[in-house]
Amino acid sequence: MAMHHSDNDMHHTGEIPKAQTKAIWRTFVILVAITALEFVFAFFMEPGTTRNVIFIILTLFKAFYIVAEFMHLKHETKALIWTIIIPLALIVWLMVALIAEGSYYYESITNYFE
């Protein structure tokens, strides 16, 4: 026989608790502030390596914050966090190394044939 619940057992107001609302607004404000800072750098800095580095750092910060908040990574064990961060850092290092080696190879081939 199925259990029946009365309306008193399942009374939901549909409101989000205050603590969760505060956390949602804090996350929103942080992400908006970082995005606004990116726009400031985009419009008021000369294009170049410094601006690109600032964009990359701010984008990585936003990505880590989004992963921590929305994918709940900040609540996981430290071992899982390191299991995700270390391969990511090695991939970034590999990309930087390949770009540096590629530019060296291009310059050496270009200078060889001139």
Side-chain angles (χ1 to χ4, degrees), residues 53-64:
V53 168
I54 291 171
F55 270 119
I56 291 169
I57 290 170
L58 288 174
T59 302
L60 286 175
F61 182 74
K62 271 191 348 186
F64 282 125

Side-chain angles (χ1 to χ4, degrees), residues 97-114:
L98 289 174
I99 290 170
E101 287 295 320
S103 63
Y104 170 76
Y105 180 74
Y106 175 76
E107 289 173 10
S108 65
I109 292 298
T110 307
N111 292 335
Y112 179 76
F113 288 113
E114 285 184 358

Side-chain angles (χ1 to χ4, degrees), residues 14-48:
E15 293 182 22
I16 299 173
K18 295 279 186 195
Q20 289 178 349
T21 305
K22 186 177 179 181
I24 290 169
W25 280 108
R26 181 178 42 109
T27 301
F28 174 75
V29 168
I30 289 172
L31 291 175
V32 165
I34 295 171
T35 304
L37 191 61
E38 287 177 338
F39 274 103
V40 166
F41 285 121
F43 290 118
F44 296 114
M45 254 184 108
E46 291 292 322

